[in-house]
Coordinates of all heavy atoms in Angstrom, one line a residue:
M1415 N -10.2 -0.2 -71.4 CA -10.6 0.7 -70.4 C -12.2 0.4 -70.2 O -12.7 0.5 -69.1 CB -10.4 2.1 -70.7 CG -10.5 3.1 -69.6 SD -9.2 2.9 -68.5 CE -9.5 4.2 -67.5
G1416 N -12.9 0.1 -71.3 CA -14.2 -0.2 -71.3 C -14.6 -1.4 -70.6 O -15.6 -1.4 -69.8
Q1417 N -13.8 -2.4 -70.7 CA -14.0 -3.7 -70.1 C -13.8 -3.6 -68.6 O -14.6 -4.1 -67.7 CB -13.1 -4.8 -70.6 CG -13.6 -5.6 -71.7 CD -12.5 -6.7 -72.0 OE1 -11.3 -6.4 -71.9 NE2 -13.0 -7.8 -72.6
F1418 N -12.9 -2.8 -68.2 CA -12.5 -2.6 -66.8 C -13.7 -1.8 -66.1 O -14.1 -2.3 -65.0 CB -11.3 -1.7 -66.6 CG -10.9 -1.5 -65.3 CD1 -10.4 -2.5 -64.5 CD2 -11.0 -0.3 -64.6 CE1 -10.0 -2.3 -63.2 CE2 -10.7 0.0 -63.3 CZ -10.2 -1.1 -62.6
S1419 N -14.3 -0.8 -66.8 CA -15.4 -0.2 -66.1 C -16.6 -1.0 -66.1 O -17.5 -0.9 -65.2 CB -15.7 1.2 -66.9 OG -16.0 0.9 -68.3
A1420 N -16.8 -1.9 -67.0 CA -17.9 -2.9 -67.0 C -17.8 -3.9 -65.8 O -18.8 -4.2 -65.1 CB -18.1 -3.6 -68.3
I1421 N -16.6 -4.3 -65.6 CA -16.4 -5.3 -64.4 C -16.6 -4.5 -63.1 O -17.3 -5.1 -62.2 CB -14.9 -5.8 -64.6 CG1 -14.8 -6.7 -65.8 CG2 -14.6 -6.6 -63.3 CD1 -13.3 -7.1 -66.0
I1422 N -16.2 -3.3 -63.0 CA -16.4 -2.5 -61.8 C -17.8 -2.3 -61.6 O -18.4 -2.4 -60.5 CB -15.6 -1.2 -61.9 CG1 -14.2 -1.4 -61.9 CG2 -16.0 -0.2 -60.7 CD1 -13.6 -2.0 -60.7
A1423 N -18.6 -2.0 -62.6 CA -20.0 -1.8 -62.5 C -20.7 -3.0 -62.0 O -21.6 -3.0 -61.2 CB -20.6 -1.4 -63.8
K1424 N -20.4 -4.3 -62.5 CA -21.0 -5.5 -62.2 C -20.7 -5.8 -60.7 O -21.5 -6.2 -60.0 CB -20.5 -6.6 -63.1 CG -21.1 -6.7 -64.5 CD -20.5 -7.9 -65.3 CE -21.2 -7.8 -66.7 NZ -20.6 -8.9 -67.4
L1425 N -19.4 -5.4 -60.3 CA -19.1 -5.7 -58.9 C -19.9 -4.8 -57.9 O -20.3 -5.2 -57.0 CB -17.5 -5.6 -58.8 CG -16.6 -6.6 -59.3 CD1 -15.2 -6.2 -59.1 CD2 -16.9 -8.0 -58.5
F1426 N -19.9 -3.6 -58.4 CA -20.7 -2.6 -57.6 C -22.2 -3.1 -57.5 O -22.8 -3.0 -56.4 CB -20.5 -1.2 -58.2 CG -21.3 -0.2 -57.4 CD1 -20.8 0.3 -56.2 CD2 -22.5 0.4 -57.8 CE1 -21.5 1.2 -55.4 CE2 -23.2 1.3 -57.1 CZ -22.7 1.7 -55.9
I1427 N -22.8 -3.5 -58.6 CA -24.2 -4.0 -58.6 C -24.2 -5.1 -57.7 O -25.2 -5.3 -56.8 CB -24.7 -4.2 -60.0 CG1 -24.8 -2.9 -60.7 CG2 -26.1 -4.9 -60.0 CD1 -25.2 -3.0 -62.2
N1428 N -23.4 -6.1 -57.8 CA -23.4 -7.3 -56.9 C -23.3 -7.0 -55.5 O -23.9 -7.6 -54.7 CB -22.3 -8.3 -57.4 CG -22.7 -8.9 -58.8 OD1 -23.8 -8.9 -59.2 ND2 -21.7 -9.5 -59.4
L1429 N -22.4 -6.0 -55.1 CA -22.3 -5.6 -53.8 C -23.5 -4.9 -53.2 O -23.8 -5.3 -52.0 CB -21.1 -4.7 -53.6 CG -19.7 -5.4 -53.7 CD1 -18.7 -4.2 -53.7 CD2 -19.5 -6.3 -52.7
V1430 N -24.2 -4.2 -54.0 CA -25.4 -3.5 -53.5 C -26.5 -4.4 -53.3 O -27.3 -4.3 -52.4 CB -25.8 -2.3 -54.5 CG1 -27.1 -1.7 -54.2 CG2 -24.6 -1.2 -54.5
L1431 N -26.7 -5.4 -54.2 CA -27.8 -6.2 -54.2 C -27.7 -7.4 -53.2 O -28.6 -8.0 -52.8 CB -28.1 -6.8 -55.6 CG -28.4 -5.9 -56.7 CD1 -28.6 -6.5 -58.0 CD2 -29.7 -5.1 -56.3
I1432 N -26.5 -7.7 -52.9 CA -26.3 -8.9 -51.9 C -26.3 -8.3 -50.5 O -25.5 -7.4 -50.2 CB -24.9 -9.5 -52.2 CG1 -24.9 -10.2 -53.5 CG2 -24.7 -10.6 -51.0 CD1 -23.5 -10.7 -53.8
P1433 N -27.3 -8.7 -49.7 CA -27.3 -8.1 -48.3 C -26.2 -8.7 -47.5 O -25.8 -9.9 -47.5 CB -28.7 -8.6 -47.8 CG -28.9 -9.8 -48.7 CD -28.3 -9.6 -50.0
L1434 N -25.5 -7.9 -46.8 CA -24.5 -8.3 -45.9 C -24.9 -8.7 -44.6 O -26.0 -8.1 -44.1 CB -23.4 -7.1 -45.8 CG -22.8 -6.7 -47.1 CD1 -22.0 -5.4 -46.8 CD2 -21.9 -7.7 -47.7
P1435 N -24.3 -9.7 -44.0 CA -24.8 -10.0 -42.6 C -24.5 -8.9 -41.6 O -23.5 -8.3 -41.7 CB -24.0 -11.3 -42.2 CG -22.8 -11.2 -43.2 CD -23.2 -10.4 -44.4
M1436 N -25.6 -8.7 -40.8 CA -25.5 -7.5 -39.9 C -25.4 -8.1 -38.4 O -25.9 -9.1 -38.2 CB -26.6 -6.6 -40.0 CG -26.6 -5.9 -41.3 SD -28.0 -4.8 -41.5 CE -27.8 -3.6 -40.2
K1437 N -24.7 -7.2 -37.5 CA -24.8 -7.6 -36.1 C -26.2 -7.5 -35.6 O -26.9 -6.6 -36.0 CB -23.9 -6.6 -35.3 CG -22.4 -6.9 -35.5 CD -21.6 -5.9 -34.6 CE -20.2 -6.1 -34.9 NZ -19.3 -5.2 -34.1
P1438 N -26.6 -8.3 -34.6 CA -28.0 -8.1 -34.1 C -28.0 -6.9 -33.2 O -26.9 -6.4 -32.7 CB -28.1 -9.4 -33.2 CG -26.7 -9.9 -32.9 CD -25.9 -9.4 -34.1
L1439 N -29.1 -6.2 -33.4 CA -29.3 -4.9 -32.6 C -29.3 -5.3 -31.2 O -29.8 -6.3 -30.6 CB -30.6 -4.3 -33.0 CG -30.7 -3.8 -34.4 CD1 -32.1 -3.3 -34.7 CD2 -29.6 -2.7 -34.7
R1440 N -28.6 -4.4 -30.3 CA -28.7 -4.5 -28.9 C -30.1 -4.2 -28.3 O -30.9 -3.5 -29.0 CB -27.7 -3.5 -28.2 CG -26.3 -3.9 -28.5 CD -25.4 -2.9 -27.7 NE -24.0 -3.4 -27.8 CZ -23.1 -2.7 -27.2 NH1 -23.3 -1.7 -26.3 NH2 -21.8 -3.2 -27.3
Q1441 N -30.4 -4.8 -27.1 CA -31.6 -4.6 -26.4 C -31.6 -3.1 -26.0 O -30.6 -2.6 -25.5 CB -31.7 -5.5 -25.2 CG -31.9 -6.9 -25.6 CD -33.3 -7.3 -25.8 OE1 -34.2 -6.7 -25.2 NE2 -33.6 -8.3 -26.5
P1442 N -32.7 -2.4 -26.1 CA -32.7 -0.9 -25.6 C -32.6 -1.0 -24.0 O -33.2 -2.0 -23.4 CB -34.0 -0.5 -26.1 CG -34.9 -1.7 -26.3 CD -33.9 -2.7 -26.8
N1443 N -32.1 0.0 -23.6 CA -31.9 0.1 -22.1 C -33.1 0.7 -21.6 O -33.4 1.8 -21.8 CB -30.7 0.9 -21.7 CG -30.4 0.9 -20.2 OD1 -31.1 0.3 -19.5 ND2 -29.4 1.7 -19.8
T1444 N -34.0 -0.1 -20.9 CA -35.4 0.4 -20.5 C -35.3 0.5 -18.9 O -36.4 0.7 -18.4 CB -36.5 -0.6 -20.9 OG1 -36.2 -1.9 -20.5 CG2 -36.5 -0.5 -22.4
R1445 N -34.2 0.3 -18.3 CA -34.2 0.4 -16.8 C -34.3 1.8 -16.4 O -33.8 2.7 -17.0 CB -32.8 -0.1 -16.3 CG -32.6 -1.6 -16.6 CD -31.3 -2.0 -16.2 NE -31.4 -2.8 -15.0 CZ -30.3 -3.1 -14.3 NH1 -29.1 -2.8 -14.6 NH2 -30.5 -3.8 -13.1
P1446 N -35.1 2.0 -15.4 CA -35.3 3.4 -14.9 C -34.1 4.1 -14.3 O -33.2 3.3 -13.8 CB -36.4 3.3 -13.8 CG -36.2 1.9 -13.3 CD -35.8 1.1 -14.5
V1447 N -33.8 5.4 -14.5 CA -32.7 6.1 -14.1 C -32.9 6.3 -12.6 O -33.9 6.8 -12.2 CB -32.4 7.3 -14.8 CG1 -31.3 8.1 -14.2 CG2 -32.2 7.1 -16.2
L1448 N -31.9 5.9 -11.7 CA -32.1 6.1 -10.3 C -31.5 7.4 -10.0 O -30.4 7.7 -10.4 CB -31.2 5.0 -9.5 CG -31.9 3.5 -9.7 CD1 -30.9 2.5 -9.0 CD2 -33.2 3.4 -9.3
T1449 N -32.2 8.2 -9.2 CA -31.7 9.5 -8.8 C -31.8 9.4 -7.2 O -32.5 8.7 -6.6 CB -32.6 10.7 -9.2 OG1 -34.1 10.3 -8.7 CG2 -32.6 10.7 -10.7
Y1450 N -30.9 10.3 -6.6 CA -30.8 10.3 -5.2 C -31.9 11.0 -4.6 O -32.3 12.1 -5.0 CB -29.5 11.0 -4.8 CG -29.4 11.2 -3.3 CD1 -29.1 10.1 -2.6 CD2 -29.6 12.4 -2.8 CE1 -29.0 10.2 -1.1 CE2 -29.5 12.6 -1.4 CZ -29.3 11.5 -0.6 OH -29.3 11.7 0.8
Q1451 N -32.6 10.4 -3.7 CA -33.7 11.1 -2.9 C -33.2 11.3 -1.5 O -32.9 10.4 -0.8 CB -34.9 10.0 -2.9 CG -36.2 10.6 -2.5 CD -36.8 11.5 -3.5 OE1 -36.3 11.8 -4.6 NE2 -37.8 12.3 -3.1
P1452 N -33.1 12.5 -1.1 CA -32.6 12.7 0.3 C -33.5 12.1 1.3 O -34.7 12.1 1.2 CB -32.6 14.3 0.3 CG -32.7 14.8 -1.0 CD -33.4 13.7 -1.8
R1453 N -32.8 11.5 2.3 CA -33.5 11.0 3.5 C -34.0 12.0 4.4 O -33.5 13.2 4.5 CB -32.6 10.1 4.2 CG -32.2 8.8 3.6 CD -31.3 7.9 4.4 NE -31.8 7.7 5.6 CZ -31.2 6.9 6.6 NH1 -30.0 6.5 6.4 NH2 -31.8 6.7 7.7
V1454 N -35.2 11.8 5.0 CA -35.7 12.7 6.0 C -35.6 12.1 7.3 O -36.1 11.0 7.5 CB -37.2 13.0 5.6 CG1 -37.9 14.0 6.6 CG2 -37.3 13.6 4.2
E1455 N -35.0 12.8 8.2 CA -34.7 12.3 9.6 C -35.3 13.2 10.6 O -35.4 14.4 10.4 CB -33.1 12.2 9.9 CG -32.4 11.3 8.9 CD -32.5 9.9 9.2 OE1 -32.9 9.5 10.4 OE2 -32.5 9.1 8.3
P1456 N -35.7 12.8 11.7 CA -36.3 13.6 12.7 C -35.2 14.5 13.5 O -35.4 15.6 13.8 CB -37.0 12.6 13.8 CG -36.3 11.4 13.6 CD -35.9 11.4 12.1
S1457 N -34.0 13.9 13.5 CA -32.8 14.7 13.9 C -31.5 13.9 13.5 O -31.6 12.7 13.2 CB -32.9 14.8 15.5 OG -32.7 13.5 16.1
P1458 N -30.3 14.6 13.6 CA -29.1 13.8 13.4 C -29.0 12.7 14.4 O -29.3 12.9 15.5 CB -28.0 14.9 13.5 CG -28.7 16.2 13.3 CD -30.1 16.1 13.8
P1459 N -28.5 11.5 14.0 CA -28.3 10.4 14.9 C -27.5 10.7 16.1 O -26.5 11.6 15.9 CB -27.8 9.3 14.0 CG -27.4 9.9 12.7 CD -28.0 11.2 12.6
S1460 N -27.7 10.1 17.2 CA -26.8 10.4 18.3 C -25.5 9.8 18.3 O -24.6 10.4 18.9 CB -27.6 9.7 19.6 OG -27.7 8.2 19.3
H1461 N -25.1 8.8 17.3 CA -23.9 8.4 17.2 C -22.9 9.2 16.2 O -21.8 8.8 15.9 CB -23.9 6.8 16.9 CG -24.5 6.6 15.6 ND1 -25.9 6.5 15.5 CD2 -24.1 6.4 14.3 CE1 -26.2 6.2 14.3 NE2 -25.2 6.1 13.5
A1462 N -23.6 10.3 15.6 CA -22.8 11.1 14.7 C -22.1 12.2 15.5 O -22.6 12.7 16.5 CB -23.7 11.7 13.6
F1463 N -20.9 12.6 15.0 CA -20.1 13.6 15.7 C -20.1 14.9 14.8 O -19.9 14.8 13.6 CB -18.7 13.2 15.9 CG -18.6 12.0 16.7 CD1 -18.4 10.7 16.2 CD2 -18.8 12.0 18.1 CE1 -18.3 9.5 17.0 CE2 -18.8 10.9 18.9 CZ -18.4 9.6 18.3
R1464 N -20.4 16.1 15.4 CA -20.4 17.2 14.6 C -18.9 17.7 14.3 O -18.0 17.5 15.1 CB -21.0 18.4 15.6 CG -21.2 19.6 14.7 CD -22.3 20.5 15.4 NE -22.9 21.3 14.4 CZ -24.0 21.7 14.4 NH1 -24.8 21.5 15.5 NH2 -24.5 22.6 13.4
V1465 N -18.8 18.2 13.1 CA -17.4 18.5 12.6 C -17.2 20.0 12.9 O -18.0 20.8 12.6 CB -17.2 18.3 11.1 CG1 -16.0 18.7 10.6 CG2 -17.5 16.8 10.8
D1466 N -16.1 20.3 13.6 CA -15.8 21.7 14.0 C -15.5 22.5 12.7 O -14.8 22.0 11.8 CB -14.6 21.8 14.8 CG -14.9 21.2 16.3 OD1 -16.1 21.2 16.6 OD2 -14.0 20.7 17.0
G1467 N -16.0 23.7 12.6 CA -15.7 24.6 11.6 C -16.8 24.5 10.5 O -16.6 25.3 9.5
F1468 N -17.7 23.6 10.6 CA -18.7 23.5 9.5 C -20.2 23.6 10.3 O -20.4 23.0 11.3 CB -18.6 22.2 8.8 CG -17.4 22.2 8.0 CD1 -16.2 21.5 8.5 CD2 -17.3 22.7 6.8 CE1 -15.0 21.4 7.8 CE2 -16.1 22.7 6.0 CZ -15.0 22.0 6.5
K1469 N -21.1 24.3 9.6 CA -22.4 24.6 10.2 C -23.3 23.3 10.2 O -23.9 23.0 11.2 CB -23.1 25.6 9.4 CG -24.4 26.1 10.0 CD -25.0 27.3 9.3 CE -26.3 27.7 9.8 NZ -26.8 28.8 9.1
D1470 N -23.3 22.5 9.2 CA -24.3 21.5 9.0 C -23.6 20.0 8.8 O -24.3 19.1 8.5 CB -25.1 21.7 7.7 CG -25.7 23.1 7.7 OD1 -26.5 23.4 8.8 OD2 -25.6 23.9 6.8
V1471 N -22.3 20.0 9.0 CA -21.6 18.6 8.7 C -21.4 17.9 9.9 O -21.0 18.4 11.0 CB -20.3 18.9 7.9 CG1 -19.6 17.7 7.6 CG2 -20.5 19.8 6.7
W1472 N -21.7 16.6 9.8 CA -21.5 15.6 10.8 C -20.7 14.4 10.4 O -20.7 14.1 9.1 CB -22.9 15.0 11.3 CG -23.9 16.1 11.9 CD1 -24.4 17.1 11.2 CD2 -24.1 16.3 13.2 NE1 -25.1 17.9 12.0 CE2 -25.0 17.4 13.3 CE3 -23.8 15.6 14.4 CZ2 -25.6 17.8 14.5 CZ3 -24.4 16.0 15.6 CH2 -25.2 17.1 15.6
L1473 N -19.8 13.8 11.3 CA -19.1 12.6 10.9 C -19.9 11.4 11.2 O -20.2 11.2 12.4 CB -17.7 12.6 11.7 CG -16.8 11.5 11.2 CD1 -16.4 11.7 9.8 CD2 -15.5 11.6 12.1
L1474 N -20.3 10.6 10.2 CA -21.1 9.4 10.4 C -20.5 8.2 9.6 O -20.4 8.3 8.5 CB -22.5 9.8 9.9 CG -23.7 8.7 10.0 CD1 -23.9 8.4 11.6 CD2 -24.8 9.2 9.4
S1475 N -20.1 7.2 10.4 CA -19.5 6.0 9.8 C -18.3 6.4 8.9 O -18.2 5.9 7.8 CB -20.5 5.2 9.0 OG -21.6 4.9 9.8
N1476 N -17.3 7.3 9.4 CA -16.2 7.6 8.7 C -16.4 8.3 7.4 O -15.6 8.4 6.5 CB -15.2 6.5 8.4 CG -14.6 6.0 9.8 OD1 -14.5 6.7 10.7 ND2 -14.4 4.7 9.8
R1477 N -17.6 8.9 7.4 CA -18.1 9.7 6.1 C -18.7 11.0 6.7 O -19.1 11.0 7.7 CB -19.1 9.0 5.2 CG -18.6 7.7 4.6 CD -17.6 8.1 3.4 NE -17.2 6.9 2.8 CZ -16.8 6.9 1.6 NH1 -16.8 8.0 0.8 NH2 -16.4 5.7 1.0
Y1478 N -18.5 12.1 5.8 CA -19.1 13.3 6.1 C -20.5 13.5 5.5 O -20.7 13.3 4.4 CB -18.2 14.5 5.6 CG -16.8 14.5 6.3 CD1 -15.8 14.0 5.6 CD2 -16.7 15.0 7.6 CE1 -14.6 13.9 6.3 CE2 -15.5 15.0 8.2 CZ -14.3 14.4 7.6 OH -13.1 14.4 8.2
V1479 N -21.5 13.7 6.4 CA -22.9 13.9 6.1 C -23.4 15.2 6.5 O -23.1 15.6 7.7 CB -23.6 12.7 6.7 CG1 -25.1 12.9 6.2 CG2 -23.0 11.4 6.2
A1480 N -24.2 15.9 5.7 CA -24.8 17.2 6.1 C -26.3 16.9 6.5 O -26.9 16.0 5.8 CB -24.7 18.2 5.0
F1481 N -26.7 17.6 7.5 CA -28.1 17.6 7.8 C -28.6 19.0 7.8 O -28.0 19.9 8.4 CB -28.3 17.0 9.3 CG -28.1 15.5 9.4 CD1 -26.7 15.1 9.8 CD2 -29.1 14.7 9.2 CE1 -26.5 13.7 9.9 CE2 -28.8 13.3 9.2 CZ -27.6 12.8 9.7
V1482 N -29.7 19.2 7.0 CA -30.3 20.6 6.9 C -31.8 20.4 7.3 O -32.5 19.6 6.9 CB -30.2 21.0 5.5 CG1 -30.9 22.4 5.3 CG2 -28.9 21.1 4.9
L1483 N -32.2 21.3 8.3 CA -33.6 21.4 8.7 C -34.4 22.0 7.6 O -34.4 23.2 7.4 CB -33.7 22.1 10.0 CG -35.0 22.1 10.7 CD1 -35.5 20.7 11.1 CD2 -35.1 23.0 11.8
V1484 N -35.3 21.2 7.0 CA -36.3 21.7 6.0 C -37.6 21.4 6.6 O -38.1 20.2 6.7 CB -36.1 21.0 4.7 CG1 -37.1 21.4 3.7 CG2 -34.6 21.2 4.2
G1485 N -38.4 22.4 6.9 CA -39.7 22.2 7.4 C -39.6 21.8 8.8 O -39.0 22.4 9.7
N1486 N -40.1 20.6 9.1 CA -40.0 20.0 10.5 C -39.2 18.8 10.6 O -39.2 18.0 11.6 CB -41.5 19.7 11.0 CG -42.2 18.8 10.2 OD1 -41.7 18.4 9.1 ND2 -43.3 18.3 10.6
A1487 N -38.4 18.4 9.6 CA -37.5 17.3 9.6 C -36.2 17.7 8.9 O -36.1 18.6 8.1 CB -38.2 16.2 8.8
F1488 N -35.2 16.9 9.3 CA -33.7 17.2 8.8 C -33.8 16.3 7.4 O -34.1 15.1 7.3 CB -32.8 16.6 9.8 CG -32.5 17.6 10.9 CD1 -33.2 17.5 12.0 CD2 -31.5 18.6 10.7 CE1 -33.0 18.4 13.0 CE2 -31.4 19.5 11.8 CZ -32.1 19.4 12.9
R1489 N -33.1 17.0 6.4 CA -32.8 16.3 5.2 C -31.3 15.9 5.2 O -30.5 16.7 5.5 CB -33.0 17.2 4.0 CG -33.0 16.5 2.7 CD -33.4 17.4 1.6 NE -34.9 17.6 1.5 CZ -35.4 18.4 0.5 NH1 -34.7 19.0 -0.4 NH2 -36.7 18.5 0.6
Q1490 N -31.1 14.6 5.0 CA -29.7 14.1 5.1 C -29.0 14.0 3.7 O -29.7 13.5 2.7 CB -29.7 12.6 5.7 CG -28.3 12.1 5.8 CD -28.3 10.7 6.4 OE1 -29.3 10.3 7.1 NE2 -27.4 9.9 6.2
S1491 N -27.8 14.4 3.7 CA -27.1 14.4 2.3 C -26.6 12.9 2.1 O -26.5 12.1 3.0 CB -25.9 15.3 2.4 OG -24.9 14.8 3.2
P1492 N -26.1 12.7 0.8 CA -25.4 11.4 0.6 C -24.0 11.5 1.3 O -23.6 12.6 1.6 CB -25.2 11.4 -1.0 CG -25.4 12.8 -1.4 CD -26.2 13.4 -0.4
P1493 N -23.4 10.4 1.6 CA -22.1 10.5 2.3 C -21.0 11.0 1.4 O -20.9 10.7 0.2 CB -21.8 9.0 2.6 CG -22.6 8.2 1.8 CD -23.8 9.1 1.3
F1494 N -20.1 11.9 1.9 CA -19.0 12.5 1.2 C -17.7 12.2 1.8 O -17.6 11.9 3.1 CB -19.2 14.0 1.1 CG -20.4 14.6 0.3 CD1 -21.5 15.0 1.0 CD2 -20.3 14.6 -1.0 CE1 -22.6 15.4 0.3 CE2 -21.4 15.1 -1.8 CZ -22.5 15.5 -1.1
T1495 N -16.6 12.3 1.1 CA -15.3 12.0 1.7 C -14.7 13.2 2.2 O -13.8 13.2 3.0 CB -14.3 11.3 0.7 OG1 -14.3 12.2 -0.5 CG2 -14.9 10.0 0.1
L1496 N -15.1 14.4 1.8 CA -14.6 15.7 2.3 C -15.8 16.5 3.0 O -16.9 16.6 2.5 CB -14.2 16.5 1.1 CG -12.9 15.9 0.4 CD1 -12.6 16.8 -0.9 CD2 -11.7 15.9 1.3
P1497 N -15.4 17.2 4.1 CA -16.4 18.0 4.8 C -16.9 19.1 3.9 O -18.0 19.6 4.0 CB -15.8 18.4 6.1 CG -14.3 18.2 5.8 CD -14.2 17.1 4.9
E1498 N -16.0 19.7 3.0 CA -16.4 20.8 2.2 C -17.5 20.4 1.3 O -18.3 21.2 1.0 CB -15.1 21.3 1.5 CG -14.1 22.0 2.4 CD -13.1 21.0 2.9 OE1 -13.2 19.9 2.7 OE2 -12.2 21.4 3.8
S1499 N -17.4 19.2 0.8 CA -18.4 18.8 -0.2 C -19.8 18.7 0.5 O -20.8 19.1 0.0 CB -18.1 17.4 -0.7 OG -16.8 17.5 -1.4
A1500 N -19.8 18.2 1.8 CA -21.0 18.0 2.5 C -21.6 19.5 2.8 O -22.8 19.7 2.7 CB -20.8 17.3 3.8
Q1501 N -20.7 20.4 3.1 CA -21.2 21.7 3.4 C -21.8 22.4 2.2 O -22.7 23.1 2.2 CB -20.1 22.6 4.0 CG -20.5 23.9 4.5 CD -21.6 23.9 5.6 OE1 -21.5 23.2 6.6 NE2 -22.7 24.6 5.4
R1502 N -21.1 22.2 1.1 CA -21.5 22.8 -0.2 C -22.9 22.2 -0.6 O -23.8 22.9 -1.1 CB -20.5 22.4 -1.4 CG -20.7 23.1 -2.6 CD -19.6 22.9 -3.6 NE -18.3 22.8 -3.1 CZ -17.5 21.7 -3.2 NH1 -17.9 20.6 -3.9 NH2 -16.4 21.7 -2.7
W1503 N -23.2 20.8 -0.2 CA -24.5 20.2 -0.5 C -25.5 21.0 0.4 O -26.6 21.3 0.0 CB -24.4 18.8 -0.3 CG -25.7 18.0 -0.5 CD1 -26.2 17.5 -1.6 CD2 -26.8 17.9 0.5 NE1 -27.5 17.0 -1.5 CE2 -27.8 17.2 -0.1 CE3 -26.9 18.3 1.9 CZ2 -29.0 16.9 0.5 CZ3 -28.2 17.9 2.5 CH2 -29.2 17.2 1.8
A1504 N -25.2 21.2 1.6 CA -26.1 21.8 2.6 C -26.4 23.3 2.2 O -27.6 23.7 2.3 CB -25.5 21.8 4.0
I1505 N -25.4 24.0 1.6 CA -25.7 25.4 1.1 C -26.6 25.3 -0.1 O -27.5 26.2 -0.2 CB -24.3 26.0 0.8 CG1 -23.5 26.3 2.1 CG2 -24.6 27.3 0.1 CD1 -22.1 26.7 1.9
Q1506 N -26.5 24.3 -0.9 CA -27.3 24.3 -2.1 C -28.7 23.9 -1.7 O -29.6 24.5 -2.2 CB -26.7 23.2 -3.0 CG -27.5 23.0 -4.3 CD -26.9 22.0 -5.3 OE1 -25.9 21.5 -5.0 NE2 -27.7 21.6 -6.3
V1507 N -28.9 23.1 -0.7 CA -30.3 22.7 -0.3 C -30.9 23.9 0.4 O -32.1 24.2 0.2 CB -30.2 21.5 0.7 CG1 -31.6 21.3 1.4 CG2 -29.8 20.3 -0.1
R1508 N -30.1 24.6 1.2 CA -30.6 25.8 1.9 C -31.1 26.9 0.8 O -32.1 27.5 0.9 CB -29.6 26.5 2.7 CG -29.4 25.7 4.0 CD -28.3 26.4 4.9 NE -28.1 25.7 6.1 CZ -28.8 25.9 7.2 NH1 -29.8 26.7 7.1 NH2 -28.6 25.1 8.3
H1509 N -30.3 27.0 -0.2 CA -30.6 28.0 -1.3 C -31.9 27.6 -2.1 O -32.7 28.4 -2.4 CB -29.5 28.1 -2.2 CG -29.6 29.1 -3.3 ND1 -29.6 30.5 -3.0 CD2 -29.8 29.0 -4.6 CE1 -29.8 31.2 -4.1 NE2 -30.0 30.3 -5.1
E1510 N -32.0 26.2 -2.3 CA -33.1 25.8 -3.1 C -34.4 26.0 -2.4 O -35.4 26.2 -2.9 CB -33.0 24.3 -3.4 CG -31.9 24.0 -4.6 CD -31.6 22.6 -4.8 OE1 -32.2 21.7 -4.0 OE2 -30.9 22.2 -5.7
N1511 N -34.3 25.7 -0.9 CA -35.5 25.9 -0.2 C -35.6 27.2 0.5 O -36.5 27.4 1.3 CB -35.5 24.8 0.9 CG -35.6 23.3 0.3 OD1 -36.6 23.0 -0.4 ND2 -34.6 22.6 0.5
E1512 N -34.7 28.1 0.1 CA -34.8 29.5 0.6 C -34.8 29.5 2.2 O -35.6 30.2 2.8 CB -36.0 30.3 0.1 CG -36.0 30.4 -1.4 CD -37.2 31.1 -2.0 OE1 -38.0 31.5 -1.3 OE2 -37.3 31.2 -3.2
I1513 N -33.8 28.8 2.7 CA -33.6 28.7 4.2 C -32.3 29.5 4.5 O -31.3 29.1 3.9 CB -33.5 27.3 4.7 CG1 -34.7 26.4 4.4 CG2 -33.3 27.2 6.2 CD1 -34.6 24.9 4.5
Y1514 N -32.4 30.5 5.3 CA -31.2 31.2 5.7 C -30.9 31.3 7.1 O -31.2 31.2 8.1 CB -31.3 32.6 5.1 CG -31.6 32.7 3.6 CD1 -32.8 33.0 3.1 CD2 -30.6 32.3 2.7 CE1 -33.0 32.9 1.8 CE2 -30.8 32.3 1.4 CZ -32.0 32.6 0.9 OH -32.3 32.6 -0.4

């Protein structure tokens, strides 16, 4: 039993002292995070069609886009696949800017 523990101790010491090859560290991700900046338009485009049943939603290039008048210009939402999503975005912008 004494020899066995001595062999284990030598192996353990050898394992600790021998540096193991390591994977190279990855490059840190230093790219800036892109966030959506709403577009500011003088008015909704003439080729957009207003969606019935929604206050701020327009159909533009087969996508639903909301336009909210903030100050003296319209703020345009990102394109949505559902008109309810675009209206929800418009309601959130109205609430943030205290427009009723």
